[in-house]
Amino acid sequence: MEREMALEIVRVTEVAALASAPWMGRGDKNSADEAATLAMRAMFDSVSINGTVVIGEGEMDEAPMLYIGEKVGNTDSPEVDVAVDPLEGTAIVAKGLNNALSVIAVADKGNLLHAPDMYMEKLAVGPALVGKLSIEDPVDVTLHKASKALGKNMADITVMILDRDRHESIIKTLRKVGVRIKFISDGDVAGAMAPAFPEAGIDLYLGSGGAPEGVLAAAALSCLGGELQGRLMPANAAEFERCQAMGIENPYQILTMQDMIGTDDVIFAATGVTPGEILGGVRYLADDRAETHSIVMRAKTKTIRYIKSLHYLPNKEVLHKVRKIQATGQPEDRRVAAVESVVSSKKQPVEAKPTS
């Protein structure tokens, strides 16, 4: 993959974040997600890739755009796999809470795991713990190994976990062992990334969350020098069979970084929608301007770029299109308008890029 792709990808996450940010605290997670998806899909038409969505908003019959298998980009090459979460943390935005992101990962074709939409058990760590822990160990054993490897007392270890009833047993063990616990309400990708950022103060991320989010987090951690181990959790025979249909012969196998993102290059980009430990959120300024905070990383070089951008909103044509579509009264009408917008954009000739 060409390095210039990284900056093209972050432009896509920026516009998705800008589109969803006005919905912060308004109690409407569906409209927030819709805005991010509409904007991200429209912006992809300006990106010089031949991409196939392998992780997206759902199957073709479930999502009008950014569905699994959809083609994105405006060129015949390079061929790449694309994983997207236009708004990672829809409930976060609806409630006006922290750590909502717009996220994209891109890898050479055939490298990203086609993760089914189900739970995945996860263990995520930063560089200091890579190769030193196993998701197969009991939680208390994992914590003792982490304490020894980090040279920290158990009471100084901080574990991040989603605040869910299904984690009751894990939480009891964490409290019994005596570690500090940082609960999050949503935001599985940001949570799994946190151990790789020293300023976040998180040593491990444990528990189960969405499998697609696990692949996105693995892409981020590959750029950051961290590690994510996963194991799918099919809830019934139908989900088990779906895993196999997607090419995962043994759904209960331990998924390594190589299983999830391959061994080639990966580019990861995220823009904050609401403030968090890693990125600031969209901030509205005077004179019709807005500020975004993004991170864009590449696994091959381990380069990490933080980008603060100032946007003049009247010139953001994509945002105007999103608002026009969302002004349509009924969700089904908006769905039709969104599809027509995508079809129309694909028929437009792509302008040549300036060489300077």
Side-chain angles (χ1 to χ4, degrees), residues 151-352:
K152 286 185 175 184
N153 295 323
M154 195 66 73
D156 299 329
I157 298 287
T158 304
V159 176
M160 181 172 278
I161 190 169
L162 280 167
D163 189 6
R164 297 288 189 272
D165 290 342
R166 65 178 182 270
H167 291 151
E168 181 180 357
S169 177
I170 297 176
I171 293 168
K172 285 182 178 179
T173 300
L174 297 177
R175 288 172 171 163
K176 182 178 180 180
V177 173
V179 298
R180 290 154 42 93
I181 307 172
K182 177 69 178 290
F183 290 104
I184 54 173
S185 62
D186 293 279
D188 200 28
V189 174
M193 290 169 59
F197 292 89
E199 61 271 27
I202 305 299
D203 297 299
L204 298 89
Y205 181 80
L206 295 174
S208 59
E213 289 81 358
V215 176
L216 283 161
L221 288 167
S222 72
C223 302
L224 293 161
E227 179 186 24
L228 187 143
Q229 299 173 40
R231 179 163 46 198
L232 294 173
M233 304 172 65
N236 49 49
E239 289 193 353
F240 187 94
E241 291 170 2
R242 185 163 184 241
C243 291
Q244 294 184 319
M246 296 179 75
I248 305 170
E249 186 175 341
N250 176 14
Y252 299 115
Q253 74 181 73
I254 303 302
L255 297 172
T256 66
M257 296 281 280
Q258 181 175 338
D259 293 322
M260 288 183 274
I261 60 171
T263 57
D264 295 331
D265 202 6
V266 176
I267 292 173
F268 176 91
T271 300
V273 181
T274 60
E277 284 90 356
I278 299 170
L279 294 170
V282 175
R283 191 161 69 97
Y284 292 97
L285 309 173
D287 301 322
D288 289 322
R289 296 186 182 275
E291 180 181 279
T292 59
H293 299 260
S294 305
I295 188 171
V296 59
M297 309 179 285
R298 189 179 180 192
K300 183 177 181 179
T301 61
K302 294 294 189 290
T303 299
I304 302 169
R305 290 185 172 90
Y306 290 92
I307 300 175
K308 182 172 79 170
S309 303
L310 292 177
H311 306 268
Y312 184 57
L313 298 177
N315 287 352
K316 295 289 183 181
E317 293 184 9
V318 169
L319 298 183
H320 302 318
K321 290 179 181 178
V322 170
R323 289 170 187 155
K324 183 177 180 180
I325 291 173
Q326 289 200 297
T328 305
Q330 299 300 319
E332 185 57 35
D333 294 335
R334 295 203 295 267
R335 181 185 177 103
V336 171
V339 173
E340 289 176 347
S341 176
V342 169
V343 172
S344 175
S345 68
K346 287 182 176 179
K347 292 179 180 179
Q348 299 298 319
V350 179
E351 295 184 2

Side-chain angles (χ1 to χ4, degrees), residues 15 62 94 114 131 134 166 170:
V15 77
E62 299 171 354
H114 294 220
S134 172
R166 65 178 182 270
I170 297 176

Side-chain angles (χ1 to χ4, degrees), residues 37-154:
T37 304
L38 288 167
M40 180 174 281
R41 181 60 188 79
M43 199 66 183
F44 260 124
D45 284 334
S46 70
V47 179
S48 300
I49 59 172
N50 178 8
T52 301
V53 176
V54 299
I55 290 176
E57 292 293 279
E59 305 292 341
M60 187 186 303
D61 58 351
E62 299 171 354
M65 58 185 58
L66 292 178
Y67 55 82
I68 297 169
E70 183 176 0
K71 295 291 186 178
V72 294
N74 62 24
T75 64
D76 293 331
S77 62
E79 289 189 276
V80 294
D81 287 343
V82 179
V84 303
D85 197 338
L87 182 53
E88 208 272 316
T90 56
I92 291 175
V93 173
K95 297 175 183 178
L97 301 176
N98 290 346
N99 282 318
L101 303 172
S102 175
V103 181
I104 295 175
V106 178
D108 291 319
K109 185 176 177 61
N111 278 275
L112 294 183
L113 177 71
H114 294 220
D117 189 10
M118 63 180 61
Y119 284 133
M120 174 191 284
E121 181 186 356
K122 301 171 188 176
L123 168 61
V125 299
L129 291 175
V130 171
K132 297 178 181 177
L133 305 179
S134 172
I135 197 172
E136 295 185 280
D137 285 335
V139 172
D140 58 340
V141 173
T142 295
L143 295 171
H144 281 96
K145 286 184 177 180
S147 174
K148 182 178 180 180
L150 294 173
K152 286 185 175 184
N153 295 323
M154 195 66 73

Side-chain angles (χ1 to χ4, degrees), residues 1-12 46-49 78 106 265 267 269 296-298 301 305 307 353-356:
M1 293 188 295
E2 298 180 3
R3 62 184 179 182
E4 291 81 3
M5 189 187 302
L7 294 180
E8 289 200 67
I9 294 300
V10 81
R11 290 171 56 242
V12 181
S46 70
V47 179
S48 300
I49 59 172
V106 178
D265 202 6
I267 292 173
V296 59
M297 309 179 285
R298 189 179 180 192
T301 61
R305 290 185 172 90
I307 300 175
K353 291 187 176 182
T355 56
S356 60

